[in-house]
Amino acid sequence: MQNKKLKWKSDFEKSVIIENFVNRGWIKSQEKEEEQTDWNVYWATQIINHFPNHYELTRKDCMVKNLKRFKREQDKEVLETFNFDFLPTTYIFPGEYSLFVEEFHRNPNQTWIVKPAARSQGKGIFLLRKIQQLKKISGTTVTSNMTQLNLASKENYVVSRYIDNPLLIGGKKFDLRMYVLVTNYKPLKVWIYNKGFGRFCNEQYTTDVAEIENMFVHLTNVAIQQYSDKYSQKHGGKYSIDALKLYVESAYGTDALNKMMDDIHNIMLTSLKSVQAVIQNDKHCFEMYGYDILLDSNLKPWLIEINASPSLTTTTPVDKNLKMNLINDVYNIVLPNDDFPDNDQKQQQPTKVGGFTLLYDENLDPNNRKTQKRQSVKIWK
Amino acid sequence: MQQLDNQEILMKLKSSKQFWDIKKKIKKGFNDQQKIGVNDIQKFAQSCEIEDQLTNLISHILKKSKKRETLKEDQIDFLNTSKIKWTELLFKNLDIVHQKTKNQEEDDTNTDSKLYIYDEKNLLAFLQTFKQQQSSALYQNVQFQSNKLLNINIPLKSSQQILDKYQYLLLQEELQDEKINKIRKQIENEHLDIELEKIAQTFVPNGERCLLYLKYFEFDHQETILQQNFTKLQKECLHQLFYDELLEIDGHEISEDTFYFVFQEQILTCLKCFIRDKTIKENIRIQLQNGIKKEHTEFQLPITGFFPFKNISKYVAPLCYLSTKIHIIYALFKEFFCRYFCFLHAISSENNSILSLCMQIEEIISTNSPKLFHHLKVIGCDTLKLIIHQLIYCFVGDMDPPHILTIYDQIIGHDSLEILVILCVGFLNKYKSKLLLAKNYENVQQIFQELREDKFQELVQFAYKQ
């Protein structure tokens, strides 16, 4: 028996929907249609900027789990089409603690980076050189002969090999924020944005153990760097991707730049492919991801994490310009001509819309991913 | 004085593409002839102008091998006197700046930011004080016009000549990959500077720019020497100079620039080494200051022979894109400054001097855009005052780095700063319609404060637009 008189609203005048509402004794929201906010249930024609279980990609522990699973599946394939050498060795705590300890003892000089699986903005992150430091997350003393770790909070942690030889410019560490739009997972359709930026630390990079806890040296998050004395509001520590590409090409050569970009595209495609089977695809969903990528001193890119809700806060006029255009271009793809595109219209979309370039469309060439990648590099240029 | 022997000349010839083209032509001219005498070759060479080409090539090699002399005396006497006066003025400014820094040390609330010896406005204001000293029969082609900011009777290249010289830039097209690869190979194989200049005039791929510059300056096999020299200079930086403080203050502006902030420390290191570099005085193409301070000998000219000035950091910044090695960046900056940028700060009648460039710009604008020229005068904004910053600093800070590097390519390509005349004219033409609506200097400032993106090719197009 239903006792509550819930209020309903619907974009569809479908009898099966309306009659269900009526049969339950629910009341139609009486406000003027355009002002209807007083409802409990809304049967909508809408699009939404997230896939239901995006956390499979955007939680650090799930991303690692899915990539490892995908790699195991691909290792069984005859043809090698994916390169997985972009994820630093990572363990998920608490489950993989004992495996971590074994690896830790094999490489006593290795620095590790510990991150909460589901937090952002650099919160809770620290660098690890001694097992005892794990007291920070266990709440109790941790010794190297322990075989399991009990965490103080219920959240998981990921512990990755710290990339201690990052590419430095002007002596400072940085990472890249790049934007990727997925308009469909099955089949996969991926767009890459031509603007992004490097986020710079304010202090000169050093591997000196005395500075291991200095977050202004090691963590590139703007949320952290903005508290540095050297932080500038004019540029916010953000260095455009275009400037970075010019630097890499001029200082390292065109071939080096092309390889770096190819490797970055590989990271994006492989990571998305790794969750293709598990993400709940919905034609009403799209998602714009913020990819965080670190370049090492050999120009090799490493995947740090993928953000489902990349910050749209603007810290500088240039930043505002970038993000305004980014969102505008997202709408131009997702709602061209302010309308929901049907399948035919989606098929006929150009490969370049504003700052977005089509990186991959499984519809076009589902079996030849390598060819698609080479084509996409040319489009990118 | 000829410094190369015949063997050395032959080696230099062999490193030139043109030499091998000539050789191919001669070989083709004789086909399979078995016996060829020297007279035969000479006759053939004379008949198809190869002899002239070879003569020009050799004389160019000999000319380039001569030790570069620093221009100290100008052909016009009053400019020599003016240089001395300018130097005296700068010494006075140095004293004022020194006093200000002392005051700031004592009083934290004193935030006077004018801690530089001179800036582009000071230089332009000084140039404005020149008066027509004497007329000379040699320079009758210079029209004396009282409405111009600079009224100096100096030999000036015709502005039409400059416009004609760079007109080919209007026809520049985006190159196909095949052509770009060909240019890459050319840069890798070529050593002769006139050939490198030709490449620089047309298109320089980003990936080969550093190599082209190093080859042009003959640094390509000297990395070890460059590194050793730089390391020596870095050691000398341990001993602090007063000028270091001014350089650190100068670096603040570049540290706020979205394209250059990452290089802030490198730029400062380069500049600190620069003001300690004894070799600059003998390598610089033109003497900038003239005079030794006699009284209060606390500060003399730096060992370079000139004072560091406001925004000197801007000359280093774009070169930081070219290499990960600071000694390479330093070597390139030093060479660019000694060959070209020094003229932007020299009281001189030379073609590349700030005086000549300013007069060329005024000439073109007053002739081709008289309405704009007159309007700016009426509202109290002289043409030169609007573009002096872009001119003196080669548009660094106004254009994105790829466009600045294209400017640097053109400077090398023509061994001249005249490209800046074209770009300044284009800049004024681009904003002409807004400038014509401006009622006063504040309106004009607002126009340039809006977010704008000036591009090399765009300004070239505007330079030739009527």
Side-chain angles (χ1 to χ4, degrees):
Chain A
M1 287 276 287
Q2 291 91 18
N3 298 315
K4 276 191 177 174
K5 301 281 184 200
L6 295 179
K7 288 187 182 165
W8 61 268
K9 176 183 167 183
S10 175
D11 288 344
F12 285 108
E13 288 298 314
K14 295 278 183 192
S15 58
V16 293
I17 297 167
I18 310 295
E19 280 177 34
N20 260 293
F21 289 145
V22 169
N23 290 345
R24 285 166 176 272
W26 292 351
I27 305 162
K28 184 174 180 179
S29 173
Q30 292 302 315
E31 286 176 343
K32 279 187 208 166
E33 200 163 312
E34 58 273 14
E35 290 167 6
Q36 280 177 341
T37 55
D38 180 28
W39 47 263
N40 305 110
V41 179
Y42 184 3
W43 196 272
T45 309
Q46 287 181 318
I47 59 164
I48 189 163
N49 62 323
H50 287 294
F51 288 92
N53 58 338
H54 65 76
Y55 55 80
E56 294 285 359
L57 185 68
T58 57
R59 266 185 67 116
K60 297 176 188 59
D61 51 351
C62 295
M63 178 193 84
V64 170
K65 180 195 81 187
N66 281 310
L67 273 166
K68 285 183 178 177
R69 174 193 44 75
F70 188 54
K71 183 177 185 308
R72 285 194 300 273
E73 289 167 10
Q74 290 301 306
D75 284 346
K76 294 175 191 166
E77 297 288 326
V78 173
L79 283 172
E80 278 182 32
T81 50
F82 294 96
N83 174 4
F84 290 88
D85 186 25
F86 54 79
L87 192 67
T89 306
T90 302
Y91 299 94
I92 301 170
F93 282 9
E96 293 179 336
Y97 174 73
S98 56
L99 290 171
F100 164 73
V101 171
E102 277 179 39
E103 182 66 24
F104 183 88
H105 288 310
R106 274 200 286 269
N107 298 286
N109 292 323
Q110 177 64 54
T111 304
W112 297 83
I113 183 162
V114 181
K115 304 179 198 176
R119 279 194 259 170
S120 62
Q121 299 188 327
K123 290 176 197 142
I125 297 179
F126 62 95
L127 297 186
L128 179 89
R129 286 195 57 90
K130 294 177 189 171
I131 292 271
Q132 290 82 353
Q133 284 175 265
L134 289 171
K135 184 178 177 178
K136 275 186 199 172
I137 58 174
S138 76
T140 56
T141 306
V142 178
T143 57
S144 55
N145 54 7
M146 283 165 65
T147 53
Q148 69 178 43
L149 185 74
N150 295 316
L151 298 175
S153 68
K154 285 187 182 166
E155 64 183 332
N156 281 356
Y157 281 79
V158 291
V159 180
S160 303
R161 186 181 70 80
Y162 184 59
I163 311 294
D164 61 7
N165 64 329
L167 179 69
L168 304 178
I169 300 182
K172 291 174 193 155
K173 179 181 169 179
F174 67 98
D175 78 341
L176 295 180
R177 164 54 60 87
M178 296 177 74
Y179 297 100
V180 168
L181 173 67
V182 174
T183 49
N184 213 43
Y185 267 98
K186 289 165 194 138
L188 185 61
K189 192 165 183 179
V190 185
W191 303 76
I192 183 169
Y193 201 58
N194 64 359
K195 302 276 179 224
F197 45 87
R199 294 175 296 202
F200 272 75
C201 289
N202 282 292
E203 298 291 339
Q204 294 281 306
Y205 183 75
T206 174
T207 49
D208 187 352
V209 171
E211 294 292 328
I212 208 153
E213 289 188 15
N214 187 343
M215 295 298 110
F216 296 124
V217 168
H218 294 286
L219 297 192
T220 57
N221 308 71
V222 174
I224 289 176
Q225 293 297 330
Q226 65 184 345
Y227 294 109
S228 162
D229 289 339
K230 296 177 184 175
Y231 180 76
S232 160
Q233 298 211 341
K234 281 224 168 149
H235 53 73
K238 290 176 181 170
Y239 185 61
S240 80
I241 280 271
D242 288 337
L244 175 72
K245 284 166 72 184
L246 175 65
Y247 175 76
V248 170
E249 188 174 15
S250 302
Y252 293 90
T254 309
D255 291 343
L257 171 66
N258 287 342
K259 178 158 192 329
M260 182 186 93
M261 294 312 301
D262 272 354
D263 290 346
I264 289 174
H265 296 157
N266 172 68
I267 289 175
M268 291 167 175
L269 286 171
T270 306
S271 56
L272 292 169
K273 275 285 191 182
S274 74
V275 295
Q276 186 181 25
V278 298
I279 289 275
Q280 291 167 32
N281 196 44
D282 190 313
K283 67 177 182 180
H284 297 106
C285 298
F286 68 93
E287 205 148 29
M288 186 190 71
Y289 299 108
Y291 269 73
D292 291 348
I293 289 169
L294 181 70
L295 299 170
D296 72 15
S297 56
N298 300 312
L299 293 181
K300 179 183 161 61
W302 297 87
L303 177 60
I304 304 302
E305 64 168 330
I306 303 162
N307 296 277
S309 299
S311 169
L312 296 176
T313 305
T314 59
T315 51
T316 67
V318 171
D319 200 27
K320 181 170 181 179
N321 203 38
L322 186 156
K323 288 170 181 171
M324 282 286 290
N325 289 334
L326 172 68
I327 298 301
N328 183 49
D329 289 339
V330 166
Y331 289 144
N332 286 339
I333 289 176
V334 166
L335 289 166
N337 304 314
D338 295 343
D339 203 357
F340 303 103
D342 59 34
N343 280 335
D344 282 340
Q345 284 166 328
K346 283 186 185 178
Q347 293 294 335
Q348 283 157 25
Q349 263 180 327
T351 54
K352 205 163 160 35
V353 177
F356 276 109
T357 303
L358 185 64
L359 182 63
Y360 181 74
D361 185 346
E362 196 166 14
N363 263 331
L364 293 180
D365 203 341
N367 295 317
N368 194 353
R369 187 184 154 275
K370 272 187 186 169
T371 308
Q372 184 71 39
K373 200 174 69 163
R374 272 199 297 276
Q375 283 171 350
S376 73
V377 168
K378 277 192 187 158
I379 291 166
W380 168 267
K381 275 196 215 161
Chain B
M1 191 177 85
Q2 187 178 326
Q3 293 183 312
L4 303 177
D5 62 27
N6 291 341
Q7 202 58 34
E8 282 164 330
I9 295 171
L10 185 59
M11 272 184 63
K12 284 225 175 246
L13 278 171
K14 282 184 174 178
S15 68
S16 149
K17 185 177 172 294
Q18 200 181 1
F19 171 79
W20 295 101
D21 287 344
I22 291 171
K23 196 176 174 190
K24 220 192 253 182
K25 230 177 182 174
I26 296 174
K27 229 178 160 178
K28 212 175 173 180
F30 288 98
N31 287 328
D32 291 323
Q33 254 179 269
Q34 294 260 334
K35 280 185 179 171
I36 310 162
V38 171
N39 287 339
D40 299 322
I41 296 173
Q42 200 165 13
K43 269 187 197 154
F44 176 77
Q46 279 167 354
S47 67
C48 50
E49 294 174 356
I50 285 176
E51 192 181 55
D52 285 339
Q53 285 174 13
L54 213 45
T55 311
N56 286 340
L57 201 53
I58 293 169
S59 63
H60 181 82
I61 290 171
L62 289 172
K63 189 176 152 195
K64 282 285 176 174
S65 74
K66 277 188 196 163
K67 197 175 175 322
R68 204 160 59 203
E69 296 282 332
T70 303
L71 287 166
K72 287 184 182 164
E73 292 286 310
D74 197 273
Q75 57 189 314
I76 296 176
D77 278 338
F78 90 87
L79 289 179
N80 294 321
T81 324
S82 300
K83 195 195 285 187
I84 295 172
K85 283 184 184 162
W86 174 240
T87 310
E88 283 168 2
L89 178 62
L90 297 186
F91 267 115
K92 281 186 188 148
N93 285 355
L94 175 62
D95 285 339
I96 295 169
V97 168
H98 183 235
Q99 192 54 51
K100 280 182 184 176
T101 53
K102 268 189 177 168
N103 294 343
Q104 281 193 357
E105 276 165 27
E106 286 154 19
D107 178 8
D108 282 344
T109 59
N110 182 346
T111 53
D112 190 339
S113 60
K114 286 205 175 121
L115 294 171
Y116 51 83
I117 296 172
Y118 76 93
D119 68 4
E120 74 282 5
K121 294 194 198 71
N122 299 142
L123 180 55
L124 181 62
F126 184 77
L127 296 176
Q128 266 182 268
T129 63
F130 293 171
K131 285 183 170 77
Q132 186 82 5
Q133 297 265 322
Q134 57 185 7
S135 59
S136 163
L138 284 173
Y139 316 133
Q140 289 297 322
N141 60 334
V142 174
Q143 292 287 325
F144 180 78
Q145 289 178 319
S146 59
N147 61 347
K148 293 220 184 107
L149 201 66
L150 298 179
N151 296 308
I152 302 114
N153 197 359
I154 60 169
L156 211 58
K157 214 188 239 187
S158 108
S159 32
Q160 193 55 49
Q161 223 180 323
I162 296 177
L163 285 167
D164 290 344
K165 185 176 171 183
Y166 288 90
Q167 201 157 17
Y168 75 93
L169 290 171
L170 292 171
L171 302 169
Q172 298 281 60
E173 285 168 346
E174 210 170 307
L175 297 178
Q176 300 298 322
D177 283 348
E178 203 186 307
K179 180 83 180 148
I180 294 175
N181 285 334
K182 204 176 163 187
I183 294 173
R184 284 200 181 106
K185 287 201 163 61
Q186 255 185 293
I187 294 172
E188 281 166 15
N189 297 324
E190 188 55 74
H191 291 274
L192 200 62
D193 50 4
I194 43 171
E195 301 296 329
L196 294 169
E197 280 172 8
K198 279 185 199 155
I199 299 169
Q201 286 171 19
T202 39
F203 175 79
V204 181
N206 288 332
E208 276 69 35
R209 180 174 281 113
C210 188
L211 180 62
L212 185 144
Y213 288 4
L214 289 173
K215 282 188 169 191
Y216 186 71
F217 297 143
E218 294 181 20
F219 287 154
D220 45 319
H221 295 300
Q222 294 190 29
E223 189 169 343
T224 314
I225 298 172
L226 295 178
Q227 194 167 15
Q228 283 169 353
N229 290 343
F230 189 73
T231 308
K232 267 191 217 156
L233 287 169
Q234 274 186 299
K235 284 194 180 129
E236 290 180 35
C237 292
L238 295 172
H239 171 65
Q240 184 85 352
L241 297 173
F242 171 67
Y243 298 111
D244 291 340
E245 206 174 323
L246 299 185
L247 294 175
E248 281 166 19
I249 292 165
D250 192 63
H252 288 164
E253 192 170 320
I254 217 83
S255 73
E256 301 278 273
D257 189 302
T258 50
F259 288 108
Y260 302 115
F261 73 92
V262 298
F263 304 119
Q264 185 189 357
E265 280 85 4
Q266 285 176 309
I267 292 168
L268 183 59
T269 305
C270 282
L271 288 171
K272 282 184 175 178
C273 291
F274 187 66
I275 58 165
R276 290 163 170 81
D277 195 332
K278 298 177 188 67
T279 64
I280 286 170
K281 217 169 179 178
E282 67 206 36
N283 278 314
I284 200 165
R285 276 187 179 174
I286 189 162
Q287 188 193 50
L288 298 193
Q289 268 102 67
N290 185 4
I292 300 169
K293 187 172 175 164
K294 292 181 178 63
E295 309 155 21
H296 310 299
T297 52
E298 187 172 6
F299 296 115
Q300 296 295 341
L301 280 172
I303 207 151
T304 53
F306 58 90
F307 291 113
F309 43 84
K310 188 169 198 275
N311 289 320
I312 190 173
S313 310
K314 287 193 174 190
Y315 292 118
V316 190
L319 297 167
C320 293
Y321 276 85
L322 299 185
S323 177
T324 58
K325 299 172 187 172
I326 193 170
H327 58 273
I328 299 285
I329 297 166
Y330 177 74
L332 292 176
F333 161 62
K334 178 177 155 184
E335 209 56 30
F336 262 98
F337 192 90
C338 289
R339 287 182 186 228
Y340 310 115
F341 301 146
C342 55
F343 285 98
L344 295 168
H345 297 268
I347 311 292
S348 161
S349 62
E350 285 291 310
N351 268 334
N352 271 328
S353 73
I354 185 69
L355 199 49
S356 296
L357 299 175
C358 281
M359 287 177 69
Q360 296 286 9
I361 292 166
E362 267 202 306
E363 179 62 30
I364 296 173
I365 295 291
S366 62
T367 310
N368 296 357
S369 305
K371 201 174 169 188
L372 174 66
F373 185 78
H374 177 73
H375 176 74
L376 289 174
K377 266 250 172 311
V378 162
I379 64 171
C381 301
D382 285 294
T383 309
L384 289 180
K385 284 181 183 168
L386 285 189
I387 52 82
I388 191 67
H389 186 94
Q390 284 81 358
L391 175 62
I392 285 208
Y393 302 115
C394 303
F395 287 84
V396 175
D398 280 87
M399 287 191 195
D400 293 353
H403 301 278
I404 300 296
L405 292 171
T406 305
I407 294 176
Y408 286 18
D409 296 342
Q410 290 297 320
I411 289 172
I412 280 186
H414 294 278
D415 193 27
S416 162
L417 292 167
E418 285 163 345
I419 184 65
L420 296 174
V421 171
I422 302 291
L423 295 173
C424 285
V425 167
F427 180 81
L428 289 165
N429 282 345
K430 180 180 171 182
Y431 295 100
K432 191 198 288 191
S433 52
K434 286 188 182 176
L435 288 169
L436 285 171
L437 294 174
K439 292 192 170 67
N440 49 45
Y441 184 61
E442 285 73 34
N443 287 165
V444 169
Q445 277 190 308
Q446 269 173 337
I447 293 167
F448 295 125
Q449 267 161 19
E450 288 165 7
L451 202 66
R452 54 188 169 85
E453 209 181 324
D454 297 317
K455 297 178 184 180
F456 179 87
Q457 200 54 38
E458 181 198 33
L459 292 193
V460 168
Q461 301 282 346
F462 270 110
Y464 291 89
K465 215 171 173 178
Q466 291 297 323

